[in-house]
Amino acid sequence: MSIKRLDKSQNLHMDLVDLHQQQALQRYIARSSERERIASELQTKNPFEVDTPERVATRKAIIDPRDGLAIERIIGRDDLFPVSYLEAGQQAAAPVCRIEIRDRLGRVLGHATGFLVSPSLLLTNNHVLENYNTAQFSVAQFNYEVDLDLNERPMKSFRFTPERFFITDQKLDFTLVAIEEVSADGTKVSDFGFLPLISQTGKGLVGECVSIIQHPSGAPKAVAIRENQIMDVFEDYIHYSTDTMPGSSGSPVYNDEWVVISLHHAGVPDPKNRTEFIANEGIRISSIVQFVAEQGSSLSNNQKLLLYDIVKGWDVPDYTPEEMEVEKLSDSWYESSRGYDTQFLGVDYEVPHPIFPSDLEQDIAQLKDGSNVLHYTHFSIVMSKSRRLAYYTVVNIDGNQLMKIGRKDKWYLDSRIEIEYQCGPELYKNNSLDRGHLVRRLDPVWGDSAKKANEDTFHFTNCAPQESKLNQKSWLDLENYILHNAENLNLKVTVFTGPVFRMDDISYRGVQIPAEFWKIAIIVKKDGNLSATAYLQTQKNLIEDLEFVYGEYKTYQVPISKIEVITGLDFKELRNFDPLNQLESTIGYVIDAPGNVKL
């Protein structure tokens, strides 16, 4: 790792590097006699005869039987490769990147190496990305290479997203961190592929040659090919004679099949001359896998989903994402459901359902009894046949009677409407999509029917696929603000919510995923007048070809007329009570804090 000494934080990095080097030297010295014995045996025997039977069995299993010279290479009798070896090496190099370590001010503290191990996760050293903050400020730079004319290729930079996933360990000196899936210029990180992590031991044998792809001293990508051997194998570490330089920390160490066998992290310093090194050390991939596997029970379901491409070949039951419970309620459950009350705010303040234009009206999913509106406890929903999602939901919130009831996460298909008009669990399985409540779970939970209302919000008719950060942060902030005011001021509030259906919404598992969502909140002000405010929040630029990525987006307060234009719904007189109604702007105002809302 290449680091300039600028401040205290950088000195801490150097302390970690020195610590790992000294620990590596201690391991090297402790095994000196054993290593000499093995070296002596390798003079007359080959790696298959020297290493343990278990590791030898795994090594042989990795070899492609069509490569007739593979075993000859391992035992050192032949150095011939099929020409495809070079192509495979180029493919193995693509997921390797330079890491630019930055502080919170954007200053560059140094460079290291890392590599993708799934479409969303990157592996490097703990002493490179030591903590959440360092990861948050640093960037991964792919394609930092020179071409055949020795010109630099265009570099592609991606930020880390440790809020999605971050596991690190100082002893094993590794960090596994999430990375944004689309860069600022629109490049997909998935374009670079990834290096799978194999959990079995024995991917490299003592005496076998290995290669390292690295960014030495932060320079363009370089490779040390095969002129180096595995010298010793410890429980968690491997020593080898590969050439590396500062900046190579976090590099993958490969066997001849370009399978990653260890994560390079330290040199073994010569005790007689601290400026020289007598070996290099990497952390065994099998040890990193074991550590990650032991964290399974403490990870969230979304974190387990991010790990899916890594662990699907491992035998680790704790990483199986929880299956959502899906049931149907009896017809009698719905008999007492009156749904949304249009006169909830008062007989003089009736707020009717919006009117559909004729073309949209034909797309409303009818109930089995021929009606158009699904009524639940304190809220109602109108569904789209073609999109299998709600056109809108509308809920009554009584701030004077709100109750706190726990969450169960058992989801229901509604028996009153055909299943073909409902997006069920098949849409949300094994991805980062949230089942985003349209009617927020807490909103209708008031009065004597609070428990029933809580249960009703867990219908698939009441959810829409939302990128998890939108659902868990920004949208939630707005919902909290509305509910907080209803509760603290004993207000009654009516809230309409729905997705924006656009022709260019991406299609995923047969469903077009909405990129924008809207809300309209209606209250009676202290002066006796209605106030109706509309909000729009977007997932645009957060969704790209089934990859769900994380970037900046904003919530806007917009005119109700704007919602009418983009949804086709007609809210009639409601727009007359909108404080933005008379403004010429159709964009609206950014809502960064509650004080920005115009009532």
Side-chain angles (χ1 to χ4, degrees):
M1 178 180 176
S2 174
I3 297 181
K4 305 170 186 176
R5 294 183 180 271
L6 291 177
D7 56 25
K8 182 178 178 181
S9 64
Q10 293 170 271
N11 289 334
L12 291 175
H13 279 286
M14 291 304 299
D15 289 343
L16 280 176
V17 173
D18 290 341
L19 174 64
H20 290 305
Q21 289 179 354
Q22 289 306 309
Q23 290 174 339
L25 176 59
Q26 291 170 15
R27 282 186 283 269
Y28 183 90
I29 293 172
R31 293 266 295 189
S32 293
S33 58
E34 178 67 10
R35 188 171 52 258
E36 290 173 3
R37 181 190 65 78
I38 293 173
S40 176
E41 288 188 15
L42 286 172
Q43 297 296 319
T44 57
K45 298 179 180 180
N46 64 61
F48 290 119
E49 298 172 307
V50 173
D51 224 317
T52 65
E54 295 80 12
R55 289 173 50 79
V56 168
T58 300
R59 185 68 188 93
K60 287 183 176 180
I62 295 173
I63 297 171
D64 190 325
R66 293 172 295 180
D67 186 354
L69 296 175
I71 290 180
E72 293 295 310
R73 284 196 298 274
I74 293 173
I75 63 179
R77 295 176 181 172
D78 205 318
D79 207 26
L80 292 176
F81 287 84
V83 72
S84 59
Y85 173 81
L86 300 177
E87 184 178 354
Q90 183 66 34
Q91 187 175 345
V96 179
C97 67
R98 182 175 76 167
I99 295 177
E100 190 166 84
I101 306 158
R102 301 177 180 175
D103 63 14
R104 64 175 58 249
L105 299 178
R107 294 178 299 181
V108 177
L109 305 180
H111 295 94
T113 305
F115 56 99
L116 293 168
V117 295
S118 87
S120 305
L121 300 176
L122 179 140
L123 184 65
T124 188
N125 293 135
N126 164 270
H127 76 259
V128 173
L129 299 180
E130 188 179 348
N131 52 48
Y132 181 102
N133 286 339
T134 303
Q136 193 173 40
F137 303 134
S138 301
V139 295
Q141 299 168 328
F142 290 86
N143 211 41
Y144 184 43
E145 307 169 3
V146 293
D147 61 20
L148 292 176
D149 297 321
L150 299 182
N151 296 316
E152 289 187 6
R153 301 183 191 275
M155 188 168 59
K156 302 295 183 179
S157 294
F158 295 79
R159 293 194 172 275
F160 297 106
T161 55
E163 67 274 11
R164 296 166 63 205
F165 191 97
F166 187 83
I167 290 180
T168 193
D169 182 65
Q170 189 178 105
K171 178 178 180 293
L172 287 179
D173 194 20
F174 84 91
T175 291
L176 186 62
V177 60
I179 187 171
E180 65 178 354
E181 292 165 4
V182 176
S183 67
D185 70 356
T187 304
K188 301 175 191 175
V189 75
S190 59
D191 290 347
F192 299 96
F194 66 91
L195 301 173
L197 301 184
I198 298 175
S199 60
Q200 292 90 342
T201 65
K203 297 180 287 294
L205 305 179
V206 174
E208 185 176 356
C209 294
V210 294
S211 303
I212 293 186
I213 296 176
Q214 56 195 290
H215 282 279
S217 300
K221 194 177 296 176
V223 58
I225 302 179
R226 299 200 82 249
E227 288 303 316
N228 38 77
Q229 287 183 312
I230 297 176
M231 302 166 62
D232 204 350
V233 178
F234 301 82
E235 182 177 358
D236 295 322
Y237 304 92
I238 292 177
H239 282 182
Y240 41 88
S241 58
T242 310
D243 291 330
T244 59
M245 294 178 65
S248 300
S249 290
S251 301
V253 181
Y254 306 85
N255 63 19
D256 277 345
E257 285 71 48
W258 295 105
V259 171
V260 183
I261 65 172
S262 73
L263 171 68
H264 176 71
H265 86 128
V268 180
D270 187 336
K272 299 178 181 178
N273 182 355
R274 289 295 303 274
T275 64
E276 300 292 334
F277 292 89
I278 51 180
N280 279 306
E281 182 176 82
I283 306 101
R284 291 174 60 180
I285 291 298
S286 54
S287 296
I288 294 174
V289 166
Q290 181 62 34
F291 184 96
V292 173
E294 291 170 356
Q295 313 306 307
S297 59
S298 64
L299 298 177
S300 69
N301 211 47
N302 280 343
Q303 289 172 324
K304 291 178 182 179
L305 290 171
L306 282 176
L307 277 169
Y308 179 73
D309 285 295
I310 298 179
V311 304
K312 59 187 176 184
W314 307 351
D315 184 18
V316 282
D318 279 343
Y319 276 88
T320 304
E322 299 171 6
E323 295 288 339
M324 64 184 87
E325 293 185 64
V326 181
E327 296 184 8
K328 286 185 180 180
L329 295 165
S330 65
D331 292 342
S332 61
W333 173 270
Y334 304 102
E335 290 176 357
S336 62
S337 300
R338 298 292 175 261
Y340 165 66
D341 179 2
T342 61
Q343 295 185 341
F344 178 69
L345 300 179
V347 294
D348 296 327
Y349 304 102
E350 184 173 8
V351 181
H353 287 265
I355 297 173
F356 283 76
S358 58
D359 58 331
L360 293 186
E361 193 171 26
Q362 296 173 9
D363 188 50
I364 295 175
Q366 287 192 333
L367 281 62
K368 294 175 181 178
D369 65 5
S371 60
N372 290 340
V373 183
L374 288 164
H375 294 303
Y376 298 96
T377 307
H378 302 149
F379 68 96
S380 297
I381 297 175
V382 175
M383 297 289 292
S384 163
K385 287 191 296 188
S386 61
R387 300 295 292 257
R388 301 169 61 198
L389 301 169
Y391 267 118
Y392 71 87
T393 67
V394 58
V395 60
N396 302 132
I397 307 174
D398 190 335
N400 197 40
Q401 300 187 66
L402 287 169
M403 298 180 64
K404 297 187 184 301
I405 294 177
R407 182 186 182 108
K408 292 184 178 179
D409 259 3
K410 181 187 291 183
W411 286 81
Y412 303 102
L413 291 163
D414 196 318
S415 60
R416 297 173 295 172
I417 188 172
E418 298 293 345
I419 292 179
E420 64 187 279
Y421 301 143
Q422 305 175 60
C423 290
E426 69 282 351
L427 175 61
Y428 301 94
K429 185 177 181 180
N430 292 338
N431 56 38
S432 61
L433 286 176
D434 271 2
R435 303 181 297 279
H437 278 73
L438 294 175
V439 170
R440 189 187 181 205
R441 182 181 71 86
L442 300 177
D443 287 355
V445 179
W446 52 268
D448 295 336
S449 303
K451 288 185 178 180
K452 189 170 185 293
N454 180 67
E455 202 87 355
D456 274 350
T457 63
F458 286 93
H459 278 81
F460 281 105
T461 52
N462 183 44
C463 73
Q466 292 181 342
E467 185 275 320
S468 58
K469 193 174 182 182
L470 173 80
N471 182 33
Q472 295 169 10
K473 177 58 180 167
S474 298
W475 205 231
L476 184 62
D477 288 345
L478 177 59
E479 292 172 326
N480 281 338
Y481 173 67
I482 294 171
L483 188 64
H484 175 77
N485 279 279
E487 187 171 16
N488 287 357
L489 303 176
N490 294 327
L491 289 175
K492 287 186 173 182
V493 185
T494 288
V495 179
F496 290 89
T497 303
V500 179
F501 294 150
R502 296 191 184 275
M503 296 291 291
D504 62 350
D505 286 335
I506 68 164
S507 183
Y508 177 62
R509 296 182 180 178
V511 178
Q512 281 190 280
I513 308 297
E516 295 168 304
F517 293 85
W518 58 271
K519 280 186 185 295
I520 297 176
I522 306 103
I523 62 171
V524 179
K525 297 188 293 184
K526 291 181 179 180
D527 62 7
N529 292 314
L530 276 181
S531 173
T533 52
Y535 309 90
L536 180 66
Q537 196 163 59
T538 182
Q539 288 185 157
K540 283 288 187 184
N541 302 323
L542 298 183
I543 300 178
E544 182 69 28
D545 192 21
L546 311 189
E547 298 293 341
F548 299 90
V549 301
Y550 299 73
E552 183 178 0
Y553 51 86
K554 296 177 181 178
T555 301
Y556 293 90
Q557 182 176 347
V558 298
I560 290 176
S561 57
K562 171 74 172 178
I563 303 300
E564 291 178 313
V565 169
I566 62 178
T567 64
L569 302 175
D570 185 351
F571 287 92
K572 291 295 183 183
E573 299 300 318
L574 205 57
R575 69 179 77 95
N576 295 331
F577 304 101
D578 179 2
L580 302 189
N581 185 43
Q582 303 303 319
L583 299 180
E584 293 182 4
S585 171
T586 59
I587 298 176
Y589 293 89
V590 176
I591 303 300
D592 291 324
N596 299 138
V597 175
K598 300 180 184 295
L599 298 176

